[in-house]
Amino acid sequence: MAAGAGSGRGRGAAAAARGAGSSMARSGRLRSGAAAKLKRWRKGHSSDCNPETRQHRLAARSRFCSRPAERSNLTVDAVKLHNELQSGSLHLERTSDSAQLRMEEDDIGEAATEKSSGTFLSGLSDCTNVTFSKVQRFWESNSAAHKEICAVLAAVTEVIRSRGGKESETEYFATLMTTLEAVESPESLAAVAYLLNLVLKRVPSPVLIKKFSDTSKAFMGIMSSQASSSSTSALRWVLSCLATLLRKQDLAAWSYPVTLQVYHSLLSFCVHTKPKVRKAAQYGVCSVLRGSEFMFGDAAPEHHPAAPSTAKFCVQEIEKAGGTKEATTTLHVLALLRDLLPCFPAAVVKTCCETLLRVMTLSHVLVTACAMQAFHSLFSAQASVACLPAELNAQIITALYDYVPSTSDLQPLLTWLSTMERAHVNLGRLQKDLCWAHLPRLFSAAMNCFLSPHSQVVAAAAQTLETLLSECIAPHMEHLGTVSASAPAPATYLCKMFRSVEEGLTYRFHAAWDEVLRVLEVFFETCGKQCHPIMRRCLRSLCDLRLSPHFPYTTEVDQAVGAAVSTMGPEVLLEAVPLEIDGKEETLDFPRSWLLPVLRDYVQGARLGFFTSYFLPLAATLKSRALEFTQAGKSMEAKIYDTLQWQVWTLLPGFCTCPTDVLGAFKGLARTLGMAISERPDLRPTVCQALRTLIHKGCETDAERAEVGRFAKNFLPILFNVYSQPEEDGASSAQRRSVLDTVRAYLTITDPQMVCGFLQKASMKLTSPESSEFARLSILDLVVAMAPYADEQSLDSLYCTIQPSLQSKERSMQKKAYRVLEEVCAAPHAPCQAFVRSHLQDLQAALLDSLKSAASPAKRPRLKCLFHIVKQLSAEHEPFVTALVPEVILCTKEVSVGARKNAFVLLVEMGHAFIRFGPTPQEAMQRFLLLVYVGLTGSVTMISCTVLALTRLFFEFKDHLELSVVEQLLQNVCLLLASRTRDVVKAALGFLKVTLLLVDTKLLAKHVHTMLEAVGNLSDDMRRHFRMKLRNLFTKFIRKFGFELVKGLLPAEYHKVLVNIRKAEARSRKQRALRQAAADTDEEEAPLAQPRGDSMEEILADSEDEEEEEEERQRSREWRKQARQKGQAWLKEGENDEPLNFLDPNVSQRVLATKPGPKRSRGVSHDFQVSEDGRLIIHEEEEEVDDDEAKGADEEMADVLQDLGLRSKKSQKRRFREEPDDEEPEARTYPQYRAGGSGIHRQLDKEPAFGAEYRSKKGKGDVKKKGQLDPYAYIPLNTARLNRRKRAKMQGQFKGLMKGAQRGAKAGRRNRLKAQRP
């Protein structure tokens, strides 16, 4: 106490001194008598430790103590209610003696709870009912409404507990209803209503059905008393409660008049003047009609019993409002109808739609827009026939054509297009024929929208047509035959639609040709297969249009024609638009040659016979014509025809994609293809690609595969011979790979017996002494491709053939031999698996014997082969796996990336094998690690490889390692940090990084001293060499254990680096926070979502919180502002100064929601910012921002995981190619040093002065240089010129510029005159 008093006195004295000093300083400037207004201490009391003013202490004591000494923040009504409920004087019926509800303020302390450890919010903080979980976060809020809710919930909870209740929803409902009748203040009434709104959703339906009369009566009384109140909180929550109560009633309850009377009371508030009340009522009505519980049962009616009366109310309100100027009530009712129209029966929907159409004649912009939204909602809901019959849907479509907005009226036209689109899609769902009958008129109207000056309207019209084609027409095209111009309905409708779109190719629509072409493309994709007779003229128009000079939409035309090729086929296209290439041309224009690339890219599903009959003779003619020109010495003409014949051949892969006549056409083409492969090297890649495409994408049935496979005896020998021949005439290796890929593809459909025969011949050539080395290597490649498809007997003889090559001194032969074994071991076919099982012992012995002679290039396939063998081993083969350990460890640092990757994969598989061997995973891994530990006693290379292997095993099997094993492993690696070899230290640092990533911080805390001590004892050479690795390691240590701990455990020479790391981390966090704040700002500036939900879940969701009041208020203000803007309308005058005819039936189109005016040209856009005074702001450089701190453990560990074979080097950027492998690029948070100053800091690579290339070597001034610009005084831009202080200095530099130029011009003129004199 003494210490506290002393400190208090000290603070009091200091405060007194400051207060006195400030008052003295002010007293001279105050008027007479003003000093009495200042608060001063009495004389002798300036150092009192406990001043009399104890306002905040008393407030704190009243909040946290059970008996507040003074008046607390709890309202009188809440305490009064709490005490009455405690005493049991309040029951479900309201007591008649109102005197019992009044108490004096002095009784508050006596009636408080006697719980010594509780507070007035105890019932809130430990409330067990999950219904009020969202209320429990209100207790920290400063809102008075939130505090009132918390107080009422706490009191009600205490009452339920005092009576031994279980805090169920029913108990809360009963107690809150009692409370609702007892409270008087609007704040308490709103709080109780809010809690009732929460709990009613969870009260069982039978309880609400039974108590409907009493509960609804209570709600109705509050609604009548609060209807004209200025506060809306209580009323809106009571409306929500009433809606929930009605929603819980069964179907029988709606046959009683009282239920409809209660519902109509709720319905009457849908046109209330207060927005929140109106919104609550509309949400409630929608939830009742769409979400009543009996509407989801088995015997659910088609529509709600209250739907007809609701529709009648809406119609009456609209008619009552009439055509007033503001039409506020009409807008409110239209907003309600937007959600309710799909819930009404058909007869009522018809009446409502007629009313909507009538109010649209008022030409009120907002009313028309809301009515159109109501229609859009009706069609989008996809209501049943009982709500919207097809005939009524069609009638509404016809009626809406009387309300087509002007093409220059942007927003109404977009809304009309969207509504008509949904109307036709819904009609197509109900009745296809009726929909197709109405589509031509909409297509014609939509094409008129392409003439609009607004690009948004053009794009929307195009999107509407595309949607109609895909949703209304495409699903029914399969059942439609070939469509011609004379075909009856429904084909007639398609003709009319296509003619409307085809008209868009006329010059009148030239500004929207890109969108027209896009619609045509969709039309071709959708209907091209059946409608090609009526589309041929359009194809000719497209091709002629593409040939017009300076046509800007060639790409769009190519795509449209390509879509026609995909659906109609190349035959139809070439009949409509001939290629006009036959090899007999007099000129070399070839205007239709652009069709060849289009055909190449889009042809599929065509007849292979058409290529044989049309394109093959054409290619032969073009080739012969090219040879004629070559013999005549006309190289340019020869090159043109040779390119054309090559383009014709490139069509073949497209014709081989899903052809329709493989069985009948391939036999006529096979001979030509075989000759092209063997005799035409220029066509070999194309033909091979075509064969692969035919095998993979063209042979869908067994008969087709058998037909193509029947020619394997012809194609495979040709392919073998081509591949076995040495490269001639500069043939690339890509061609040989293409041939080998074709061999692999053809082997999949070849008879296995034929493959065995080819394999036997290949084995004979391998052992033949006449075969060259190139031939043997090529044959081995072919054997690798054939081996997986051979039978077991052929594999036996093949193994005997290649076994000597496993120890061959020729590296290529050895590598290919291992490749054969790899393919055999990896093949999923039964003969290969049987061969591996029967020769397992022989394979193990052969692989162990060939270990010493294995060449480096052969390591990759050898390790892969071992991987497939180890996967099949059991416990008795453990010695074989043990013998492989040293080789696998050493291969982790092989030169080949593939060998290193396979070594790590095999190492992991060996760990899985030991786990399979048992007995337990922990013991198996300990046994395996003991084998790996042996490598730590070997050479330096072996030690570094072993540490890498241990790191990968620790990464993969951390869950199977005991704690003692991990600790022992960590200690051994820390000892290796004292090595003098860089490779060993590098591997050990990598292990520490992985440990920091994987091991829990609590476990790692025991060894952090050991690790940092080992790192701190590194030699100066190691520390300098691995400075970036150490920096990254220290960063991870600091993130895990904090800066002070790491700094205390490291020597002083590391402290500078640690401080630098801390600064960089702080800078990164700051920049990250700024970026996040900027992103949050952008999100806040984004347009707010519409407050009304369309789905049932959104309507029934409890989205009305007191926390959202301010946000809703702001949204309401914004909506009213937009409504005022949208409410403006303009009347468009007649064309050419003609008077406006108000009797015209289309006069409604003259009422515009968009202000008409001349079309403004777009300003020039540039990428520079502009200051307030109009100057351009040009940044010289963009400063790079730091990367995020937590990019993920994988990215931070990229270098380590790369060493462990877990990440490919190709995935990382080559940031510093000149640095050694051990170095890492410096973090981007550090700015790079730039030279500047004098002495050793001077900049060596100075840039030449501006204009130095024009400087004269003999005298002053500039000289002209041939081929360069004239040496005028170009003034470079300089940011210093924007500085106000330097502006005068800058202006003086150019004062004599023009005078000097003029003097130079006069002198030059005089010299020229002198030179001209005789």
Side-chain angles (χ1 to χ4, degrees):
M1 290 296 290
S7 62
R9 276 196 298 271
R11 289 192 296 271
R18 287 193 299 271
S22 61
S23 63
M24 288 174 66
R26 291 193 300 264
S27 61
R29 291 190 294 271
L30 293 175
R31 296 190 308 270
S32 177
K37 299 178 182 178
L38 299 175
K39 189 172 183 180
R40 298 175 179 274
W41 288 282
R42 289 179 301 172
K43 187 175 181 180
H45 293 273
S46 61
S47 298
D48 285 353
C49 61
N50 292 319
E52 294 179 358
T53 304
R54 295 178 292 172
Q55 169 186 350
H56 301 292
R57 300 186 186 189
L58 292 176
R61 183 180 300 173
S62 67
R63 178 173 293 181
F64 294 109
C65 297
S66 60
R67 289 178 180 271
E70 292 187 14
R71 188 171 183 175
S72 67
N73 290 330
L74 195 61
T75 61
V76 175
D77 283 339
V79 177
K80 192 190 314 181
L81 166 68
H82 173 70
N83 293 331
E84 290 296 329
L85 291 173
Q86 284 276 8
S87 61
S89 59
L90 286 179
H91 302 287
L92 198 60
E93 292 79 24
R94 190 170 184 175
T95 178
S96 60
D97 190 7
S98 60
Q100 294 181 5
L101 297 179
R102 296 186 178 86
M103 64 186 339
E104 298 299 328
E105 215 171 291
D106 300 334
D107 298 335
I108 296 176
E110 298 176 4
T113 176
E114 297 299 328
K115 252 181 161 180
S116 60
S117 61
T119 67
F120 74 95
L121 288 181
S122 296
L124 167 69
S125 59
D126 56 356
C127 178
T128 60
N129 197 304
V130 296
T131 305
F132 305 106
S133 59
K134 67 185 305 181
V135 180
Q136 292 176 350
R137 70 174 185 266
F138 288 171
W139 74 276
E140 291 182 341
S141 174
N142 294 325
S143 171
H146 289 176
K147 290 180 180 179
E148 190 72 21
I149 292 171
C150 294
V152 172
L153 178 60
V156 170
T157 304
E158 288 297 329
V159 170
I160 293 175
R161 289 176 182 171
S162 65
R163 297 181 179 177
K166 298 180 181 179
E167 299 185 40
S168 65
E169 287 82 1
T170 306
E171 292 170 336
Y172 273 105
F173 166 65
T175 311
L176 286 171
M177 287 302 301
T178 305
T179 309
L180 190 68
E181 298 180 353
V183 295
E184 297 177 354
S185 66
E187 294 80 9
S188 301
L189 187 64
V192 176
Y194 174 78
L195 295 172
L196 265 175
N197 172 56
L198 292 179
V199 79
L200 273 174
K201 296 179 174 67
R202 293 177 176 266
V203 176
S205 299
V207 176
L208 295 181
I209 294 173
K210 185 175 182 181
K211 292 292 181 181
F212 175 75
S213 178
D214 298 334
T215 309
S216 60
K217 183 178 180 182
F219 289 157
M220 297 277 285
I222 296 174
M223 288 164 57
S224 60
S225 63
Q226 295 289 322
S228 58
S229 175
S230 59
S231 176
T232 61
S233 297
L235 184 56
R236 59 189 287 225
W237 296 125
V238 170
L239 289 173
S240 181
C241 293
L242 188 61
T244 306
L245 180 66
L246 290 169
R247 191 157 47 89
K248 294 280 187 175
Q249 303 304 308
D250 55 5
L251 184 60
W254 287 92
S255 60
Y256 306 134
V258 63
T259 309
L260 288 174
Q261 182 182 359
V262 172
Y263 172 75
H264 286 151
S265 300
L266 172 65
L267 187 61
S268 63
F269 283 91
C270 289
V271 291
H272 198 273
T273 55
K274 297 290 182 64
K276 291 184 179 180
V277 175
R278 184 173 63 251
K279 177 183 174 183
Q282 290 184 357
Y283 264 77
V285 169
C286 292
S287 65
V288 170
L289 292 188
R290 297 172 61 181
S292 294
E293 292 186 350
F294 62 82
M295 296 294 292
F296 300 100
D298 295 334
E302 292 183 351
H303 55 83
H304 197 280
S309 59
T310 306
K312 183 178 179 182
F313 167 82
C314 294
V315 172
Q316 288 176 352
E317 289 294 329
I318 292 176
E319 292 176 348
K320 189 190 305 181
T324 57
K325 182 178 179 181
E326 293 298 329
T328 307
T329 304
T330 304
L331 291 176
H332 297 335
V333 177
L334 289 177
L336 180 63
L337 281 175
R338 183 179 60 190
D339 295 327
L340 294 184
L341 268 180
C343 308
F344 292 162
V348 175
V349 169
K350 185 175 182 180
T351 305
C352 291
C353 291
E354 291 172 352
T355 305
L356 290 177
L357 293 172
R358 279 200 302 272
V359 299
M360 289 174 66
T361 59
L362 300 176
S363 297
H364 190 288
V365 174
L366 285 178
V367 170
T368 304
C370 289
M372 200 66 74
Q373 289 177 3
F375 281 123
H376 186 275
S377 173
L378 174 64
F379 297 130
S380 300
Q382 296 187 351
S384 63
V385 181
C387 172
L388 183 63
E391 293 76 12
L392 179 58
N393 193 333
Q395 290 172 3
I396 296 174
I397 289 175
T398 304
L400 286 178
Y401 281 107
D402 296 334
Y403 304 93
V404 182
S406 170
T407 54
S408 59
D409 209 358
L410 176 60
Q411 198 59 44
L413 191 53
L414 293 177
T415 307
W416 186 85
L417 283 172
S418 178
T419 304
M420 295 297 281
E421 172 194 318
R422 288 294 98 199
H424 285 78
V425 170
N426 190 65
L427 182 58
R429 182 181 62 88
L430 298 174
Q431 189 173 341
K432 185 261 293 184
D433 295 336
L434 194 57
C435 172
W436 280 37
H438 282 77
L439 279 175
R441 186 176 181 184
L442 180 58
F443 267 69
S444 178
M447 288 305 299
N448 288 333
C449 295
F450 280 77
L451 300 173
S452 171
H454 300 288
S455 59
Q456 299 97 315
V457 172
V458 178
Q463 185 61 44
T464 297
L465 295 182
E466 292 172 19
T467 303
L468 293 173
L469 286 170
S470 59
E471 296 190 24
C472 298
I473 295 178
H476 310 287
M477 289 303 297
E478 292 294 332
H479 311 292
L480 201 65
T482 302
V483 176
S484 61
S486 59
T492 309
Y493 305 136
L494 271 177
C495 295
K496 292 180 180 179
M497 286 185 272
F498 187 75
R499 294 289 175 251
S500 299
V501 179
E502 187 181 8
E503 189 184 355
L505 295 178
T506 58
Y507 189 75
R508 193 161 59 110
F509 296 87
H510 73 280
W513 269 346
D514 55 340
E515 297 292 346
V516 174
L517 291 171
R518 195 154 58 89
V519 176
L520 279 174
E521 179 185 351
V522 177
F523 223 127
F524 289 147
E525 289 176 353
T526 305
C527 314
K529 188 175 181 181
Q530 292 83 8
C531 301
H532 60 84
I534 65 173
M535 294 179 174
R536 298 191 179 194
R537 188 181 68 180
C538 180
L539 286 174
R540 286 191 291 271
S541 301
L542 283 177
C543 295
D544 295 340
L545 198 61
R546 192 186 188 280
L547 295 178
S548 58
H550 308 295
F551 182 68
Y553 305 115
T554 55
T555 304
E556 286 79 3
V557 171
D558 290 349
Q559 292 174 351
V561 175
V565 171
S566 300
T567 54
M568 304 178 194
E571 298 178 66
V572 174
L573 175 69
L574 294 177
E575 287 178 8
V577 188
L579 198 56
E580 296 182 358
I581 299 175
D582 55 4
K584 301 176 183 178
E585 295 83 8
E586 297 180 358
T587 62
L588 301 180
D589 291 340
F590 304 111
R592 300 262 175 90
S593 60
W594 61 272
L595 284 172
L596 290 175
V598 174
L599 288 168
R600 178 197 63 204
D601 295 337
Y602 290 94
V603 66
Q604 59 177 355
R607 286 194 314 113
L608 200 56
F610 180 67
F611 181 84
T612 307
S613 61
Y614 182 85
F615 285 106
L616 273 184
L618 178 60
T621 303
L622 295 175
K623 183 63 177 176
S624 62
R625 191 72 187 275
L627 291 176
E628 292 176 4
F629 280 117
T630 302
Q631 293 173 359
K634 298 179 180 180
S635 58
M636 188 186 71
E637 291 83 351
K639 184 64 177 175
I640 291 175
Y641 276 101
D642 196 47
T643 303
L644 282 175
Q645 67 89 25
W646 176 79
Q647 284 185 322
V648 171
W649 273 102
T650 56
L651 304 180
L652 181 58
F655 276 92
C656 291
T657 304
C658 304
T660 58
D661 57 345
V662 176
L663 297 177
F666 184 70
K667 57 186 176 183
L669 185 62
R671 178 180 175 83
T672 306
L673 297 183
M675 293 176 62
I677 293 174
S678 59
E679 299 176 3
R680 297 283 303 275
D682 58 325
L683 299 179
R684 193 172 295 156
T686 302
V687 176
C688 288
Q689 180 190 356
L691 284 176
R692 293 195 302 272
T693 304
L694 182 64
I695 292 169
H696 294 313
K697 299 181 181 179
C699 300
E700 298 178 354
T701 63
D702 294 336
E704 291 174 344
R705 281 190 288 271
E707 174 66 18
V708 178
R710 188 165 62 89
F711 292 90
K713 63 179 182 297
N714 306 109
F715 279 106
L716 285 178
I718 295 174
L719 294 170
F720 291 162
N721 291 335
V722 169
Y723 189 78
S724 303
Q725 293 173 0
E727 298 178 1
E728 297 178 358
D729 301 330
S732 63
S733 58
Q735 285 195 12
R736 299 188 75 241
R737 285 197 298 271
S738 176
V739 172
L740 188 59
D741 290 341
T742 308
V743 169
R744 290 196 182 100
Y746 225 118
L747 286 171
T748 59
I749 58 173
T750 306
D751 183 32
Q753 295 299 324
M754 189 181 299
V755 175
C756 294
F758 288 136
L759 196 60
Q760 184 178 0
K761 294 178 182 178
S763 301
M764 292 172 60
K765 287 190 176 183
L766 273 178
T767 56
S768 173
E770 299 177 358
S771 300
S772 63
E773 182 182 359
F774 178 83
R776 286 201 299 272
L777 292 176
S778 302
I779 291 171
L780 274 175
D781 286 334
L782 298 173
V783 169
V784 169
M786 290 187 288
Y789 304 98
D791 56 16
E792 191 173 357
Q793 183 179 357
S794 300
L795 290 175
D796 288 337
S797 59
L798 177 63
Y799 177 67
C800 297
T801 303
I802 66 166
Q803 189 172 7
S805 299
L806 296 176
Q807 301 183 7
S808 173
K809 294 182 180 180
E810 296 180 7
R811 296 187 170 189
S812 299
M813 290 291 295
Q814 188 183 108
K815 178 181 178 181
K816 307 253 184 222
Y818 276 113
R819 283 282 294 118
V820 174
L821 273 186
E822 177 190 350
E823 289 295 327
V824 172
C825 294
H829 303 99
C832 294
Q833 294 180 349
F835 169 79
V836 173
R837 285 194 298 270
S838 60
H839 291 75
L840 198 55
Q841 297 292 340
D842 296 340
L843 288 172
Q844 293 179 28
L847 291 173
L848 288 179
D849 292 341
S850 61
L851 171 60
K852 296 180 181 180
S853 59
S856 180
K859 292 288 179 138
R860 189 191 66 78
R862 172 183 169 83
L863 291 170
K864 198 69 173 177
C865 184
L866 287 170
F867 167 76
H868 291 295
I869 291 176
V870 169
K871 285 179 68 174
Q872 303 186 23
L873 297 182
S874 54
E876 62 269 15
H877 299 104
E878 185 173 335
F880 173 69
V881 181
T882 304
L884 294 177
V885 172
E887 179 191 5
V888 177
I889 292 177
L890 281 174
C891 286
T892 56
K893 298 202 77 172
E894 270 289 335
V895 178
S896 169
V897 177
R900 292 200 300 269
K901 181 180 177 181
N902 288 347
F904 283 114
V905 171
L906 177 56
L907 188 70
V908 173
E909 185 55 41
M910 290 163 68
H912 288 298
F914 267 87
I915 292 177
R916 285 200 311 269
F917 298 162
T920 62
Q922 287 76 15
E923 294 180 9
M925 285 309 303
Q926 191 169 0
R927 199 165 69 250
F928 183 43
L929 287 179
L930 289 176
L931 298 175
V932 180
Y933 284 154
V934 178
L936 297 176
T937 62
S939 63
V940 173
T941 305
M942 190 66 180
I943 293 174
S944 62
C945 292
T946 304
V947 176
L948 283 177
L950 288 172
T951 307
R952 178 62 185 268
L953 290 174
F954 179 50
F955 185 88
E956 293 287 343
F957 300 102
K958 56 184 178 298
D959 298 331
H960 299 307
L961 297 179
E962 296 179 351
L963 182 59
S964 59
V965 176
V966 175
E967 293 178 345
Q968 179 187 4
L969 189 57
L970 186 58
Q971 292 173 359
N972 292 335
V973 172
C974 289
L975 293 176
L976 291 175
L977 284 173
S979 174
R980 298 180 180 179
T981 308
R982 290 179 176 179
D983 285 347
V984 177
V985 175
K986 178 183 176 183
L989 291 175
F991 183 87
L992 290 185
K993 283 187 180 181
V994 175
T995 304
L996 285 172
L997 172 66
L998 299 180
V999 180
D1000 184 50
T1001 306
K1002 295 180 181 179
L1003 176 61
L1004 207 58
K1006 295 190 228 177
H1007 305 280
V1008 64
H1009 184 276
T1010 306
M1011 290 190 290
L1012 289 177
E1013 183 181 5
V1015 173
N1017 292 332
L1018 287 175
S1019 63
D1020 293 341
D1021 176 65
M1022 293 294 179
R1023 190 171 72 242
R1024 188 166 49 250
H1025 186 75
F1026 295 112
R1027 58 187 180 277
M1028 292 312 302
K1029 285 188 176 294
L1030 289 174
R1031 182 185 181 85
N1032 293 337
L1033 191 64
F1034 292 153
T1035 303
K1036 294 173 178 59
F1037 270 112
I1038 290 173
R1039 288 174 184 170
K1040 270 191 177 289
F1041 301 105
F1043 174 78
E1044 296 298 334
L1045 176 64
V1046 177
K1047 183 180 179 183
L1049 294 177
L1050 284 175
E1053 53 265 25
Y1054 288 98
H1055 290 178
K1056 186 176 180 181
V1057 178
L1058 296 178
V1059 172
N1060 203 308
I1061 290 173
R1062 181 171 63 176
K1063 290 181 180 178
E1065 292 287 301
R1067 188 159 53 245
S1068 297
R1069 284 195 295 270
K1070 183 178 179 180
Q1071 291 175 351
R1072 203 163 44 249
L1074 290 175
R1075 286 197 298 270
Q1076 183 64 36
D1080 294 342
T1081 304
D1082 293 342
E1083 291 177 3
E1084 290 175 4
E1085 292 177 356
L1088 296 172
Q1090 293 295 330
R1092 182 182 301 276
D1094 292 334
S1095 64
M1096 193 66 245
E1097 291 78 7
E1098 292 179 78
I1099 290 180
L1100 299 182
D1102 187 15
S1103 62
E1104 299 156 318
D1105 264 348
E1106 288 290 341
E1107 289 182 320
E1108 299 174 359
E1109 286 186 1
E1110 185 61 32
E1111 181 183 349
E1112 290 176 0
R1113 201 174 298 119
Q1114 179 68 19
R1115 191 182 303 160
S1116 170
R1117 283 198 295 267
E1118 292 180 3
W1119 184 86
R1120 285 197 297 270
K1121 181 179 178 181
Q1122 294 175 2
R1124 284 195 299 270
Q1125 295 174 354
K1126 290 181 179 178
Q1128 300 177 2
W1130 288 266
L1131 192 63
K1132 185 178 179 181
E1133 296 292 344
E1135 301 292 340
N1136 300 326
D1137 296 333
E1138 294 180 3
L1140 184 62
N1141 182 12
F1142 286 97
L1143 298 178
D1144 187 359
N1146 295 326
V1147 73
S1148 61
Q1149 298 182 9
R1150 298 289 184 176
V1151 181
L1152 306 181
T1154 307
K1155 184 176 181 179
K1159 188 175 181 182
R1160 297 180 179 178
S1161 61
R1162 296 181 180 177
V1164 179
S1165 175
H1166 51 75
D1167 296 331
F1168 298 123
Q1169 299 177 358
V1170 182
S1171 62
E1172 294 180 357
D1173 56 356
R1175 292 180 297 178
L1176 295 178
I1177 301 175
I1178 303 174
H1179 300 282
E1180 290 185 347
E1181 294 181 351
E1182 279 194 16
E1183 295 180 2
E1184 294 185 355
V1185 295
D1186 296 334
D1187 291 334
D1188 290 338
E1189 175 186 340
K1191 283 189 176 180
D1194 289 343
E1195 293 190 15
E1196 289 185 346
M1197 310 290 294
D1199 52 346
V1200 181
L1201 300 184
Q1202 176 190 328
D1203 291 339
L1204 301 182
L1206 293 174
R1207 177 163 299 205
S1208 172
K1209 204 166 186 176
K1210 294 178 182 179
S1211 64
Q1212 304 178 30
K1213 290 184 178 179
R1214 283 284 183 125
R1215 291 167 288 191
F1216 290 95
R1217 294 182 181 273
E1218 67 277 4
E1219 288 188 358
D1221 293 339
D1222 298 300
E1223 292 298 329
E1224 296 182 6
E1226 194 168 337
R1228 289 201 291 173
T1229 53
Y1230 301 92
Q1232 295 182 352
Y1233 171 74
R1234 292 182 179 178
S1238 60
I1240 62 173
H1241 302 288
R1242 70 187 185 279
Q1243 186 173 357
L1244 297 178
D1245 51 345
K1246 289 186 177 180
E1247 296 182 358
F1250 185 76
E1253 61 271 20
Y1254 294 103
R1255 187 169 298 164
S1256 175
K1257 297 180 181 179
K1258 298 180 180 180
K1260 295 182 179 180
D1262 294 335
V1263 294
K1264 289 189 176 184
K1265 295 290 183 72
K1266 187 177 181 180
Q1268 296 188 16
L1269 298 174
D1270 289 344
Y1272 297 130
Y1274 297 103
I1275 302 173
L1277 293 176
N1278 187 358
T1279 54
R1281 305 186 194 284
L1282 302 177
N1283 194 322
R1284 293 180 180 177
R1285 292 182 287 106
K1286 299 180 181 180
R1287 185 171 295 173
K1289 178 184 176 182
M1290 294 296 175
Q1291 289 173 353
Q1293 293 182 356
F1294 310 118
K1295 282 184 177 179
L1297 188 64
M1298 293 303 298
K1299 293 181 180 179
Q1302 291 171 357
R1303 284 196 301 267
K1306 289 180 180 178
R1309 188 163 56 249
R1310 283 197 301 266
N1311 293 335
R1312 285 196 299 272
L1313 290 174
K1314 288 180 182 179
Q1316 293 174 2
R1317 291 173 186 171

